[in-house]
Amino acid sequence: MIPYTVNIKLAARTLTGTLNLQNKTAVDWGWQGLIAQGCHSSILIIDPKTSQTIQVLERHKANVVKVKWSRENYHHSLSSPYSLRLASGDTSGKIIVWDVVSGTAHCEIQEHSKPIQDLEWLWNQDASRDLLLAVHPPNYIVLWNGDTGTKLWKKSYAENILSFSFDPFDPSNMALLTSEGIVFITDFSHSKPPGSAGKKVYIASPHASPAHAKPAPAAAPAPTGAKKALNKVKVLITNEKPTAEAVTLNDCLQLSYLPSKRNHMLLLYPREILILDLELSQTVGVVAIERSGVPFTQVIPCAQRDALYCLHENGCITLRVCRSTTVPDETADPEQSVQELVYDLRSQCDAIRVTKTVRPYRMVICPVNENNAALMVSDGRVMLWELKAHTGRAPVNPSSGLSPLYSPTSFCGAPLGQNQRRIQDLSLNTMIGQTLIAGEAPPPSSSQQEVQLKFLLTGLLSGLPLPPFAIRMCPPLTTKNINHYQPLLAVGTSNGSVLVYNLTSGLLHKELSVHSCEVKGIEWVSLTSFLSFATSAPNNMGMVRNELQHVDLPTGRCFAFRGERGNDEPAIEMIKVSHLKQYLVVVFRDKPLELWDIRTGTLLREMAKNFPTVTALEWSPSHNLKSLKKKQMAAREAMARQTVSDAEQSSVESSVISLLQDAESKSETSQAISAREHFVFTDTDGQVYHITVEGNTVKDGARIPPDGSMGSIACIAWKGDTLVLGDVDGNLNFWDLKARLSRGIPTHRGWVKKIRFAPGKGNQKLLVMYADGAEVWDTKEVQMVSSMRIGRNVNYRILDIDWCTSDKVVLASDDGCIRVLEMAMKSASYRMDEQDLTDPVWCPYLLLPRAALTLKAFLLLQPWSGTFTMDITQVDYNEKDEIKGLIQEQLNSLSNDMKSVLQDPELSLLQRCLLVSRLFGDESDLQFWTVASHYLQSFAQARQLSVPTADGQAHSEGASPPAPLNHLDICHDTLCESSYFQKFQLDRVHLQEVKRSSYEHTKKCADQLLLLGQTDRAVQLLLETSADNPSYYCDSLKACLVTTITSSGPSQSTIKLVATNMIANGKLAEGVQLLCLIDKAADACRYLQTYGEWNRAAWLAKVRLNPAESSDVLKRWAEHLCSPQVNQKSKAILVLLSLGCFHKVGEMLHSMRYFERSALFIEACLKYGVMEANDSSNILIGAAFVDYARLLRTLGLKEGAALWASRAGSAGEQLMEELFEGEGAAPEVIPREEEEAESGPETSE
């Protein structure tokens, strides 16, 4: 056998099992790439890529009900490093914020003692990153500082709050799902509690409202099943409490905003998902399940594409993607074309077998890539599904009517190079293209590939089965077995199988189906084989079926050790194996014990009927193997001395010697010698018997009368010269056999269930198990070392105990977990960096802050050589070797696809920045580089097409970029190109128009149409107002006004005057409408901004103004965002990027001390030629490059620092001198690199 090193030091760890029902909602997949999951009162941290548990956090005393990773949307630097922070809440109302790597609690928060309903870290970027919002039942929301644990504010509401959802586009909007309806809050801020009680809305069934019974157009086809379902849907959102016959919102399972488009929300019911447009408070889409379909339990909307992941009650995950609204042929009736948002089923995974104990709880989606899903099952399994895209056409099925999905033609935000490597399944938006909207030409089909989506099961974690357990550790490590020792723990379960875990890795080594009923006990007979016994339920005579199996681990062979015996006899109470693993005692409930020889599998003795009843039994550690071996050695020496010529040897002796020779040849071990062993047992009166076994002879030895102070003896342990007895009243009696002394100690803990000595020579520690906990005793000093008791320091009952090394114990508990603990028995989390994982995990967050940033810099740019390397040792990087090793481990754990893409010379700087921010799960980087790379490329294209004027910078600022091949996804909202944004808004109003069901809705639609400049359609809607409506006259006049507006001076000035008066008197919306009618939208935007309606102004500028005017409005918005009271600089930077103000962006990034981002951004600008090197920009370039060089120098990347410093011109000279002090030859090398870098931009274009 190949010798390999043995990890004797076992880490403390927890093997977890089935979940509690209260853990159902406690799961979260963070941007950091890890999944956190509550299991009873512990929290598991799972790495989904390698599907292994890498940390278990233990500190909660009650069941965990919520876990949330902190968001990563801030710029990471040495002062705000990559760190793993997790908040968790339990049923007793305690919230703990964890530092996951070290396994310690940052702070603990307690407000009430009721279970936490919901938890969320505030994502509003430039505010503090430590803010945590929690719902404390029944009706409080509290904002906490998650770093210090201080309460910032608390607010109560009228109804019980079930959960909340933040608007991903506007941090001041949130919605609370309450027991009666929805409460919308529009003034959420971290500085003070919301002022108002929010706007309450109720959802009622439509049959309660007459407005919905619109006469159907005569020619309309009869509604199909889905359409019928639509009419039944609870659509009407009312502001007054619905009447009794209307169904209120009591079965709504979940509410969340759609992150893929603004002002949309979904409500989940068991049989349908409603998509609401919040501007209209109207349902614009429904996903309904047929009558025979499986109900929904959860839905997660995606951000990168308009798609929904749905979880059904049978554990099936489905992906539904929004259908494009483009009309394929012009002949189709326009009324029919836009009916509603339709989400088509594009992929589904296999369901699981649902039983009473096994049901799906929750699913989570990877927030970075949105193409991986994890399903939590109640039995502790975690199923990891990955969405894969297969190119190729689907088998044609005309009835389904699904338009094909296409894969996008770009990778990481840039068009694909000719022979560039790519990873198609990198994320959802690299797998499928954008959903098209009406009025948008579909891209040429030649360049695109059709894709089919499939779910693939890529990982499975399984937990322990339901308790009770019987556990037994394999024989201890000795100097003889050190070369092939594996620390195996056998766990017998209630369904008759035995699980063998390797405690070094904590992974399941083997699962063996051994018995047909609950396993009651396990004893190892060698390092690789064990005996286990199980007893069936007793029949009316009290008889059972006993199963005693011998199992060989390497082969998995198992046989009935007692042969045909075992049917209809009293139950086995215990089995005990002797120290040399020669003999086995089987003790029965009402039947004398049996003595077996393990090596031959024969029954040595079945005791007589009058044999006393055994209450406790233990084998003695003393035996005569050594003296037997000595005799054997002497015989062997005699044999060696004997010569061939020596014929006087008596035949007797030669036969003895030949026997010994035979024995030697059979086995090197003591197989053939039967050593003498002893065991002691007690009877019901407490009398101690001593019995000797040798070969197949059994002798009765001395008897010791009972000790008067002890009750009925329950268990015995013997090691060396110490014998310990435990009784049913909780007394421990320590016998020193050498000194012939005994000491009795009452523990007052009730029945002593089990006692076990620790392994290791001279180690006299003793582990004692009681009904309510466990203790460790030192038998030399006769004193207690540590103790644990249910209700005092733990909240679980202990089912079984054992030692796993000389200083660690293993406990099985009724919460379904098995814990390996230090002797002090404090349940504790472990440090992640001290663990030996079987597979290396890619997670930069586990590195030290400096090392994580070094790794990022190393992946982003390696300008010191022509080729990219994945080996950090090839770089001049002065750092401790162990940190270097950890960084290299991270690099090695990347997938081969990822390595090949990162090493591909075709990968541009922008693509690399995007890819690395995805790898790191860095939310703010990802957002910045997505927008930056899009607009850098589109402005660079514009520049190549247009003739550059004298001052190029000014020319490009106002000009709108030409429509590139692809546009930013609508999830970027006002950052998208105006042309696309306008189309999207028109599309949305058409949909709202089709869906409107009341006068209110019609009015809102007309208003939107006027702002969008669609006057004819607006007039039609205004004329629909019925004569008995109070605003009939007003609307009719408005219709006349809209149709008769001429551009004559007087009418314009009159209208303008009226509009300004209206605005001054608080009718802002009406005034803005009038201004838009006379094409004074720019003034309208200015008024909106004056009155603080910044988002509305930006919207209007996008849909109505020409590029120059709109750019002015948006620049004012960016300035407002930068102001100290708003403090959303990162949002402002994105707005400026969309306007092409690249110089300003560079300056802002640099002033915010985002050195890495500013240097790489300026570098990209120079590469794409959208920033000229003139005097003003040279100062900025120099400053940014020098600061990045300094950062690299502090990280220890010297070559990189030298390169950036050399490119910073005069600003970098001083740093260059500092870098190369004392190195004579170095500076000569630099100019060549500098030329290379200078020539870079030209070659790249």
Side-chain angles (χ1 to χ4, degrees):
M1 189 179 168
I2 311 154
Y4 62 95
T5 57
V6 178
N7 181 1
I8 302 157
K9 186 174 176 299
L10 293 186
R13 68 167 69 248
T14 307
L15 305 174
T16 53
T18 52
L19 307 181
N20 188 302
L21 184 63
Q22 291 175 318
N23 299 136
K24 186 169 181 171
T25 51
V27 59
D28 191 32
W29 191 326
W31 275 83
Q32 300 85 342
L34 302 173
I35 299 175
Q37 182 196 7
C39 174
H40 293 268
S41 60
S42 338
I43 299 160
L44 280 64
I45 308 293
I46 297 164
D47 173 53
K49 288 185 222 54
T50 57
S51 49
Q52 46 187 353
T53 305
I54 55 177
Q55 167 73 288
V56 178
L57 301 170
E58 301 225 30
R59 198 182 176 102
H60 283 288
K61 295 277 190 289
N63 288 332
V64 178
V65 287
K66 276 281 175 212
V67 289
K68 272 284 188 295
W69 288 103
S70 67
R71 296 282 291 257
E72 289 302 316
N73 50 358
Y74 56 89
H75 181 257
H76 296 78
S77 60
L78 285 171
S79 54
S80 46
Y82 287 98
S83 65
L84 289 177
R85 240 198 337 187
L86 177 76
S88 59
D90 65 19
T91 49
S92 69
K94 173 174 274 191
I95 298 174
I96 298 183
V97 177
W98 300 89
D99 172 11
V100 175
V101 176
S102 65
T104 53
H106 244 326
C107 74
E108 299 189 20
I109 295 168
Q110 181 96 39
E111 174 75 4
H112 297 284
S113 55
K114 294 230 181 80
I116 302 292
Q117 281 282 7
D118 209 346
L119 264 186
E120 187 72 77
W121 292 89
L122 289 206
W123 54 271
N124 175 6
Q125 260 168 307
D126 300 331
S128 153
R129 302 192 301 278
D130 304 321
L131 305 181
L132 185 64
L133 190 71
V135 175
H136 294 270
N139 56 355
Y140 293 102
I141 56 173
V142 185
L143 185 66
W144 300 95
N145 181 329
D147 197 36
T148 57
T150 47
K151 178 160 61 172
L152 301 178
W153 53 255
K154 175 175 174 179
K155 166 112 176 130
S156 65
Y157 285 87
E159 293 127 42
N160 293 355
I161 302 172
L162 305 177
S163 69
F164 62 78
S165 172
F166 273 108
D167 182 345
F169 295 96
D170 188 349
S172 60
N173 291 347
M174 70 181 286
L176 306 175
L177 179 62
T178 67
S179 47
E180 296 195 340
I182 306 174
V183 176
F184 286 104
I185 297 170
T186 51
D187 55 349
F188 181 86
S189 104
H190 52 271
S191 48
K192 56 180 194 298
S196 63
K199 173 181 150 202
K200 273 193 204 128
V201 291
Y202 302 93
I203 294 199
S205 281
H207 63 71
S209 86
H212 212 265
K214 270 200 298 197
T224 55
K227 290 278 185 306
K228 264 187 202 149
L230 232 179
N231 296 338
K232 290 203 193 73
V233 162
K234 314 167 189 59
V235 267
L236 199 74
I237 296 194
T238 51
N239 291 356
E240 67 277 351
K241 208 162 184 174
T243 48
E245 77 261 19
V247 185
T248 52
L249 180 91
N250 50 6
D251 55 349
C252 180
L253 301 176
Q254 182 191 334
L255 130 169
S256 28
Y257 283 89
L258 291 191
S260 55
K261 44 190 179 194
R262 190 175 190 127
N263 276 334
H264 285 70
M265 172 179 273
L266 68 81
L267 295 178
L268 173 72
Y269 292 89
R271 303 204 70 85
E272 65 224 352
I273 301 171
L274 309 188
I275 310 288
L276 309 179
D277 188 321
L278 294 180
E279 283 186 3
L280 226 68
S281 310
Q282 175 66 301
T283 312
V284 288
V286 177
V287 182
I289 292 187
E290 300 80 55
R291 200 164 278 152
S292 59
V294 185
F296 295 114
T297 57
Q298 189 198 356
V299 60
I300 298 181
C302 299
Q304 302 174 9
R305 291 285 177 262
D306 190 1
L308 309 171
Y309 279 95
C310 312
L311 173 63
H312 299 259
E313 280 177 5
N314 59 355
C316 173
I317 297 175
T318 56
L319 174 69
R320 295 167 190 271
V321 183
C322 188
R323 189 183 297 178
S324 300
T325 50
T326 40
V327 188
D329 48 348
E330 294 306 308
T331 54
D333 177 15
E335 281 296 311
Q336 286 299 308
S337 64
V338 191
Q339 276 305 324
E340 68 215 17
L341 294 178
V342 183
Y343 287 84
D344 297 318
L345 179 65
R346 292 293 186 176
S347 178
Q348 67 183 53
C349 74
D350 303 333
I352 60 173
R353 214 168 117 238
V354 179
T355 64
K356 245 193 212 123
T357 53
V358 179
R359 40 185 45 146
Y361 270 178
R362 275 287 179 268
M363 91 181 143
V364 276
I365 304 296
C366 166
V368 187
N369 299 326
E370 291 187 338
N371 60 356
N372 290 351
L375 173 67
M376 310 295 149
V377 189
S378 60
D379 61 1
R381 272 181 303 169
V382 179
M383 305 173 80
L384 298 158
W385 292 95
E386 199 170 313
L387 194 64
K388 293 280 187 198
H390 300 281
T391 48
R393 290 178 169 255
V396 181
N397 177 10
S399 63
S400 70
L402 284 191
S403 52
L405 288 176
Y406 293 107
S407 66
T409 46
S410 61
F411 176 62
C412 273
L416 268 176
Q418 201 56 47
N419 46 7
Q420 186 178 348
R421 300 196 187 108
R422 64 178 288 199
I423 307 173
Q424 180 169 15
D425 300 328
L426 178 68
S427 63
L428 189 62
N429 54 12
T430 59
M431 290 163 71
I432 51 176
Q434 294 156 329
T435 302
L436 301 173
I437 53 171
E440 191 183 9
S445 51
S446 58
S447 63
Q448 286 195 320
Q449 286 181 307
E450 265 185 54
V451 284
Q452 305 299 318
L453 300 179
K454 284 196 177 69
F455 277 111
L456 196 67
L457 187 67
T458 54
L460 175 68
L461 278 98
S462 53
L464 291 160
L466 281 164
F469 304 126
I471 59 174
R472 194 74 170 104
M473 191 65 192
C474 71
L477 181 81
T478 60
T479 47
K480 293 195 179 69
N481 64 23
I482 192 161
N483 287 330
H484 49 259
Y485 184 76
Q486 281 183 303
L488 300 177
L489 175 76
V491 181
T493 64
S494 50
N495 61 4
S497 60
V498 175
L499 311 171
V500 181
Y501 279 89
N502 185 332
L503 289 186
T504 319
S505 61
L507 297 178
L508 186 63
H509 175 67
K510 283 212 167 133
E511 177 169 0
L512 303 155
S513 186
V514 183
H515 298 284
S516 60
C517 43
E518 184 189 325
V519 181
K520 291 287 204 288
I522 300 173
E523 288 287 332
W524 290 78
V525 291
S526 73
L527 281 177
T528 54
S529 57
F530 59 82
L531 289 164
S532 63
F533 75 93
T535 55
S536 65
N539 59 15
N540 48 12
M541 303 282 291
M543 297 293 170
V544 300
R545 186 180 74 256
N546 284 318
E547 300 178 5
L548 177 61
Q549 295 279 36
H550 180 287
V551 181
D552 181 54
L553 262 188
T555 60
R557 176 172 175 260
C558 72
F559 61 89
F561 188 76
R562 295 174 68 222
E564 296 299 310
R565 298 161 174 261
N567 287 331
D568 271 354
E569 59 177 12
I572 298 181
E573 286 269 275
M574 58 178 154
I575 58 173
K576 290 280 182 181
V577 175
S578 70
H579 276 258
L580 294 177
K581 317 289 185 206
Q582 301 186 105
Y583 311 113
L584 165 76
V585 169
V586 184
V587 180
F588 297 87
R589 182 159 288 147
D590 302 313
K591 175 180 156 183
L593 58 83
E594 292 177 357
L595 186 63
W596 291 76
D597 187 323
I598 293 177
R599 297 160 304 177
T600 58
T602 51
L603 178 64
L604 295 178
R605 178 74 63 91
E606 190 170 358
M607 297 303 179
K609 285 272 188 294
N610 59 358
F611 195 77
T613 309
V614 177
T615 60
L617 183 144
E618 175 70 312
W619 284 92
S620 153
S622 61
H623 48 72
N624 65 345
L625 182 65
K626 278 195 176 145
S627 58
L628 278 176
K629 280 204 168 156
K630 272 192 189 133
K631 280 183 192 162
Q632 193 187 31
M633 288 299 289
R636 207 183 299 170
E637 278 168 25
M639 191 163 52
R641 278 201 301 274
Q642 178 191 23
T643 55
V644 182
S645 62
D646 200 357
E648 297 121 50
Q649 193 68 3
S650 74
S651 59
V652 182
E653 196 163 328
S654 69
S655 67
V656 169
I657 286 172
S658 63
L659 268 175
L660 277 171
Q661 261 175 318
D662 265 6
E664 276 302 304
S665 63
K666 258 191 209 145
S667 79
E668 281 297 305
T669 63
S670 56
Q671 272 296 356
I673 324 172
S674 278
R676 183 168 66 238
E677 297 203 68
H678 326 264
F679 65 87
V680 292
F681 68 87
T682 54
D683 64 7
T684 42
D685 304 330
Q687 185 159 287
V688 181
Y689 296 76
H690 181 262
I691 290 184
T692 311
V693 187
E694 182 167 16
N696 45 13
T697 58
V698 182
K699 292 197 194 107
D700 196 352
R703 299 184 185 185
I704 304 161
D707 180 335
S709 65
M710 296 286 280
S712 172
I713 305 290
C715 44
I716 310 177
W718 187 346
K719 180 171 184 179
D721 293 324
T722 317
L723 182 79
V724 184
L725 305 157
D727 72 2
V728 290
D729 306 323
N731 301 311
L732 290 176
N733 207 340
F734 297 87
W735 290 10
D736 186 339
L737 301 176
K738 212 177 208 166
R740 293 176 172 260
L741 291 171
S742 89
R743 276 184 71 178
I745 293 186
T747 61
H748 306 299
R749 299 263 313 242
W751 191 323
V752 181
K753 297 273 190 190
K754 249 188 202 154
I755 48 180
R756 291 241 162 103
F757 271 106
K761 197 171 178 185
N763 183 356
Q764 295 287 351
K765 299 278 189 302
L766 179 79
L767 181 58
V768 188
M769 172 176 144
Y770 306 98
D772 67 346
E775 289 177 347
V776 175
W777 283 74
D778 184 348
T779 55
K780 268 192 198 127
E781 312 287 329
V782 193
Q783 62 184 19
M784 192 175 76
V785 180
S786 62
S787 148
M788 72 189 320
R789 182 178 286 193
I790 182 168
R792 184 177 298 170
N793 39 10
V794 290
N795 54 347
Y796 44 80
R797 223 180 72 245
I798 290 178
L799 305 173
D800 202 356
I801 56 166
D802 202 355
W803 290 90
C804 55
T805 59
S806 55
D807 63 340
K808 288 221 173 46
V809 299
V810 52
L811 309 172
S813 53
D814 67 346
D815 61 356
C817 297
I818 291 177
R819 293 174 172 81
V820 175
L821 300 174
E822 302 286 341
M823 207 155 29
M825 297 199 289
K826 295 266 180 295
S827 62
S829 324
Y830 30 90
R831 286 195 63 85
M832 270 158 129
D833 35 18
E834 286 172 4
Q835 258 196 291
D836 289 325
L837 294 169
T838 24
D839 299 321
V841 170
W842 163 261
C843 183
Y845 294 81
L846 300 180
L847 295 170
L848 293 170
R850 274 189 54 181
L853 290 168
T854 306
L855 175 61
K856 190 172 170 188
F858 178 78
L859 289 174
L860 277 174
L861 213 55
Q862 298 185 357
W864 41 79
S865 59
T867 57
F868 255 81
T869 169
M870 280 290 160
D871 183 3
I872 196 132
T873 49
Q874 296 180 7
V875 180
D876 175 15
Y877 170 47
N878 46 348
E879 185 61 86
K880 289 200 223 50
D881 279 349
E882 70 179 303
I883 293 180
K884 241 186 205 177
L886 288 170
I887 292 181
Q888 191 54 49
E889 256 174 43
Q890 287 290 325
L891 288 168
N892 295 345
S893 68
L894 284 170
S895 69
N896 291 339
D897 290 347
M898 189 56 85
K899 283 185 194 160
S900 72
V901 167
L902 283 167
Q903 288 172 312
D904 184 9
E906 292 272 312
L907 195 69
S908 70
L909 176 66
L910 288 172
Q911 287 174 310
R912 186 176 294 282
C913 290
L914 261 171
L915 193 57
V916 171
S917 53
R918 235 180 230 299
L919 269 180
F920 271 69
D922 188 329
E923 209 174 335
S924 98
D925 257 9
L926 190 58
Q927 231 187 344
F928 173 81
W929 286 114
T930 307
V931 178
S933 80
H934 177 79
Y935 280 108
L936 274 174
Q937 288 168 48
S938 71
F939 277 101
Q941 269 180 340
R943 198 148 246 247
Q944 286 166 357
L945 300 174
S946 67
V947 184
T949 49
D951 67 13
Q953 193 65 28
H955 168 79
S956 69
E957 293 251 333
S960 75
L965 280 171
N966 56 345
H967 44 75
L968 266 185
D969 298 334
I970 198 65
C971 63
H972 293 285
D973 198 45
T974 36
L975 303 173
C976 297
E977 285 84 356
S978 296
S979 53
Y980 175 59
F981 190 74
Q982 267 164 313
K983 280 182 195 149
F984 177 76
Q985 297 304 335
L986 280 171
D987 198 40
R988 193 172 149 196
V989 175
H990 286 316
L991 191 57
Q992 292 174 349
E993 233 182 286
V994 177
K995 285 281 170 218
R996 67 209 153 87
S997 61
S998 66
Y999 171 69
E1000 278 298 301
H1001 290 161
T1002 309
K1003 187 169 175 324
K1004 280 188 183 156
C1005 282
D1007 293 352
Q1008 282 291 69
L1009 286 165
L1010 285 177
L1011 293 178
L1012 285 165
Q1014 305 286 309
T1015 47
D1016 303 351
R1017 194 73 198 99
V1019 171
Q1020 282 179 1
L1021 291 189
L1022 286 169
L1023 294 177
E1024 272 181 20
T1025 313
S1026 61
D1028 49 5
N1029 192 312
S1031 48
Y1032 167 65
Y1033 181 57
C1034 194
D1035 284 353
S1036 310
L1037 285 181
K1038 200 179 197 176
C1040 299
L1041 173 69
V1042 174
T1043 41
T1044 54
I1045 276 188
T1046 52
S1047 49
S1048 70
S1051 68
Q1052 285 236 345
S1053 51
T1054 310
I1055 292 176
K1056 191 169 180 186
L1057 180 68
V1058 172
T1060 40
N1061 282 339
M1062 277 184 162
I1063 291 172
N1065 290 314
K1067 289 196 180 298
L1068 182 64
E1070 290 85 343
V1072 166
Q1073 261 184 46
L1074 287 177
L1075 287 172
C1076 288
L1077 278 181
I1078 53 171
D1079 283 338
K1080 292 268 183 288
D1083 297 351
C1085 289
R1086 219 161 283 133
Y1087 280 119
L1088 282 169
Q1089 288 186 333
T1090 316
Y1091 284 88
E1093 296 275 339
W1094 293 94
N1095 286 318
R1096 198 86 188 116
W1099 181 88
L1100 188 56
K1102 279 277 188 204
V1103 295
R1104 277 305 286 272
L1105 297 181
N1106 62 30
E1109 287 180 327
S1110 129
S1111 163
D1112 281 348
V1113 174
L1114 292 171
K1115 274 182 194 161
R1116 274 205 300 281
W1117 184 33
E1119 273 168 38
H1120 167 73
L1121 288 171
C1122 290
S1123 64
Q1125 62 273 22
V1126 183
N1127 189 17
Q1128 288 191 22
K1129 285 198 176 138
S1130 29
K1131 177 89 189 257
I1133 285 178
L1134 298 180
V1135 173
L1136 291 170
L1137 278 175
S1138 72
L1139 299 174
C1141 310
F1142 299 129
H1143 189 89
K1144 178 92 176 96
V1145 170
E1147 279 176 2
M1148 276 182 70
L1149 286 172
H1150 186 245
S1151 69
M1152 290 159 76
R1153 304 182 70 77
Y1154 291 4
F1155 296 141
E1156 164 200 282
R1157 212 182 276 181
S1158 66
L1160 293 170
F1161 174 71
I1162 290 167
E1163 166 76 351
C1165 287
L1166 293 171
K1167 263 212 170 80
Y1168 280 96
V1170 292
M1171 188 187 276
E1172 316 258 302
N1174 51 29
D1175 293 347
S1176 66
S1177 62
N1178 275 344
I1179 298 170
L1180 171 65
I1181 295 169
F1185 286 3
V1186 162
D1187 282 326
Y1188 189 40
R1190 288 214 173 91
L1191 175 68
L1192 288 175
R1193 188 180 65 173
T1194 48
L1195 293 177
L1197 292 169
K1198 209 164 167 189
E1199 293 165 84
L1203 180 98
W1204 286 95
S1206 68
R1207 301 197 40 208
S1210 55
E1213 284 165 10
Q1214 184 196 345
L1215 184 63
M1216 291 293 289
E1217 285 166 21
E1218 290 172 28
L1219 277 170
F1220 294 107
E1221 275 171 12
E1223 295 182 34
E1228 281 86 68
V1229 191
I1230 295 300
R1232 185 178 58 80
E1233 287 192 344
E1234 187 172 303
E1235 287 155 20
E1236 223 171 85
E1238 288 296 310
S1239 65
E1242 283 84 64
T1243 53
S1244 77
E1245 275 199 13

